[in-house]
Amino acid sequence: MIETTSYTTEPISPFLTFDRAQWAELRKSVPLKLTEQDLKPLLGINEELSLEEVSTIYLPLVRLINYYIEENLRRQTVLNRFLGGQHPKVPYIISIAGSVAVGKSTSARIIQSLLSHWPNSRKVDLITTDGFLHPLNILQERDLLQKKGFPISYDTPKLIQFLADIKSGKAKVTAPIYSHLTYDIIPDQFDVVDQPDILILEGLNVLQISNKAKTFVSDFVDFSIYVDAEEDLLKTWYVRRFLKFRQSAFNNPNSYFKHYATLSEQEAIETASTIWNNINGLNLKENILPTRERANLILKKGANHAVELVKLRK
């Protein structure tokens, strides 16, 4: 008798929906090699993700991605045979989208760590789209500081060229580096992506499309993930993170936000709430959330950043 994992589906939905228990079954017998010590550096400032969460949610996900990667490699072999030659290795690109404060970066780092040793040692690079924001002086000149994170604040052609170079198998492709401390691109510093097996691209804008462009970021992506949560939770997480930064990073004299360090707790809560309502929440509703259904997989979080539902495109 063959055992199968149950799931729920609706005729009009392009997704299969799994609760935590259903999804966890899909881990099968895959061992967890990550330890508590390995996990701590991967977590964001406002998250307390457990190894149980990694086992329940991320091991089945990485098992699935590995199947897709194997199929992708088979297709590359077939294409090379058809073309009569060996062409440059094409990295498998995974994108991770979602709102500010949802935990995209943590998800990206966990997936990177798991994929790096699954099933064998792999080269897995991680790049965030923050590096492709316009420099601070350009945003100021164009009066776009209140739109930072919106599609208009990115140098999208530069990001697309970066991905095109990666997908062409080009060696030593550079990506700008963004500093959350200075709120700006770091001059003359770059991340170098040198023909990895897998590239993880994390950012707000990776699923967005535009009527003005013929080529989108998602055209270069093999598998896309959207990390989701209700807006009231997102706002709560953002405010909590702001309060923690007020006691840490904002106290750095080089911080762009050092003036926030002197706020009282109530003033900080009010300031963070205003920023959310006027910028991050608005960007979520106008630009980020509408892209959710374009993803191959959606991780729906509840309280404490625990994933409650997983939706997988059929």
Side-chain angles (χ1 to χ4, degrees), residues 3 36 56-57 85 93 97 100 104 107 114 123 136 168 174 193-194 263 272 275:
E3 294 185 3
E36 290 281 3
T56 299
I57 302 301
I93 298 182
V100 168
K104 298 184 303 300
S107 293
L114 294 174
K123 185 179 181 183
L136 190 58
S168 69
T174 59
V193 179
D194 190 14
L263 297 176
I275 293 171

Side-chain angles (χ1 to χ4, degrees), residues 185-202:
I185 305 300
I186 302 175
D188 304 318
Q189 290 190 32
F190 302 91
D191 281 320
V192 178
V193 179
D194 190 14
Q195 297 178 316
D197 298 297
I198 302 167
L199 175 67
I200 298 174
L201 182 70
E202 177 257 306

Side-chain angles (χ1 to χ4, degrees), residues 97-268:
S99 170
V100 168
V102 76
K104 298 184 303 300
S105 297
T106 296
S107 293
R109 289 189 292 263
I110 290 172
I111 291 170
Q112 179 188 27
S113 180
L114 294 174
L115 281 173
S116 294
H117 302 96
W118 190 328
N120 303 308
S121 182
R122 285 186 177 127
K123 185 179 181 183
V124 185
D125 286 348
L126 170 59
I127 293 292
T128 73
T129 60
D130 291 344
F132 295 91
L133 285 160
H134 287 297
L136 190 58
N137 65 318
I138 291 179
L139 295 176
Q140 290 169 332
E141 288 172 7
R142 298 179 182 177
D143 195 25
L144 291 176
L145 278 184
Q146 297 300 307
K147 294 291 184 181
K148 195 167 185 179
F150 286 62
I152 196 172
S153 66
Y154 289 89
D155 189 343
T156 303
K158 189 173 184 177
L159 174 57
I160 287 175
Q161 184 60 57
F162 166 79
L163 293 171
D165 289 341
I166 296 294
K167 271 299 186 184
S168 69
K170 187 175 178 180
K172 297 181 180 179
V173 182
T174 59
I177 299 175
Y178 178 81
S179 168
H180 288 278
L181 183 68
T182 63
Y183 203 51
D184 201 0
I185 305 300
I186 302 175
D188 304 318
Q189 290 190 32
F190 302 91
D191 281 320
V192 178
V193 179
D194 190 14
Q195 297 178 316
D197 298 297
I198 302 167
L199 175 67
I200 298 174
L201 182 70
E202 177 257 306
L204 303 172
N205 60 333
V206 291
L207 285 170
Q208 289 164 356
I209 60 175
S210 168
N211 293 329
K212 298 179 182 179
K214 294 181 180 179
T215 306
F216 312 121
V217 169
S218 57
D219 291 337
F220 301 93
V221 172
D222 297 290
F223 188 82
S224 55
I225 300 167
Y226 185 98
V227 187
D228 192 24
E230 296 297 332
E231 187 180 354
D232 59 340
L233 285 175
L234 293 169
K235 183 176 180 179
T236 297
W237 295 339
Y238 177 77
V239 172
R240 286 179 186 169
R241 189 174 72 177
F242 189 94
L243 292 175
K244 288 191 176 183
F245 278 139
R246 167 177 156 268
Q247 297 173 341
S248 55
F250 293 168
N251 282 305
N252 189 314
N254 296 318
S255 173
Y256 179 84
F257 299 104
K258 58 188 176 184
H259 55 287
Y260 289 145
T262 59
L263 297 176
S264 68
E265 182 169 331
Q266 186 56 42
E267 288 172 334

Side-chain angles (χ1 to χ4, degrees), residues 18-144:
F18 303 81
D19 62 25
R20 283 180 68 88
Q22 292 167 339
W23 184 251
E25 288 179 23
L26 296 169
R27 171 187 171 181
K28 301 303 181 185
S29 59
V30 174
L32 175 61
K33 298 180 180 179
L34 209 64
T35 66
E36 290 281 3
Q37 189 174 1
D38 297 328
L39 183 60
K40 284 181 181 178
L42 307 179
L43 301 182
I45 191 171
N46 198 40
E47 294 176 81
E48 297 181 0
L49 210 65
S50 66
L51 284 177
E52 189 271 336
E53 184 77 359
V54 175
S55 298
T56 299
I57 302 301
Y58 290 96
L59 281 181
L61 172 55
V62 173
R63 177 173 174 256
L64 172 66
I65 291 173
N66 190 63
Y67 281 136
Y68 283 136
I69 291 172
E70 289 176 353
E71 183 62 29
N72 181 267
L73 290 172
R74 283 193 287 269
R75 287 200 302 269
Q76 286 188 41
T77 300
V78 169
L79 180 60
N80 287 335
R81 188 183 306 145
F82 173 72
L83 296 174
Q86 186 65 39
H87 291 264
K89 179 177 69 175
V90 179
Y92 191 88
I93 298 182
I94 300 166
S95 71
I96 302 181
S99 170
V100 168
V102 76
K104 298 184 303 300
S105 297
T106 296
S107 293
R109 289 189 292 263
I110 290 172
I111 291 170
Q112 179 188 27
S113 180
L114 294 174
L115 281 173
S116 294
H117 302 96
W118 190 328
N120 303 308
S121 182
R122 285 186 177 127
K123 185 179 181 183
V124 185
D125 286 348
L126 170 59
I127 293 292
T128 73
T129 60
D130 291 344
F132 295 91
L133 285 160
H134 287 297
L136 190 58
N137 65 318
I138 291 179
L139 295 176
Q140 290 169 332
E141 288 172 7
R142 298 179 182 177
D143 195 25
L144 291 176

Side-chain angles (χ1 to χ4, degrees), residues 272-303:
S273 297
T274 299
I275 293 171
W276 178 269
N277 293 336
N278 295 340
I279 301 177
N280 297 320
L282 186 62
N283 192 22
L284 171 65
K285 289 188 279 282
E286 290 185 357
N287 301 302
I288 302 169
L289 191 57
T291 71
R292 179 179 59 191
E293 308 305 312
R294 300 188 65 238
N296 296 112
L297 182 133
I298 300 169
L299 299 175
K300 180 64 179 289
K301 288 186 173 185

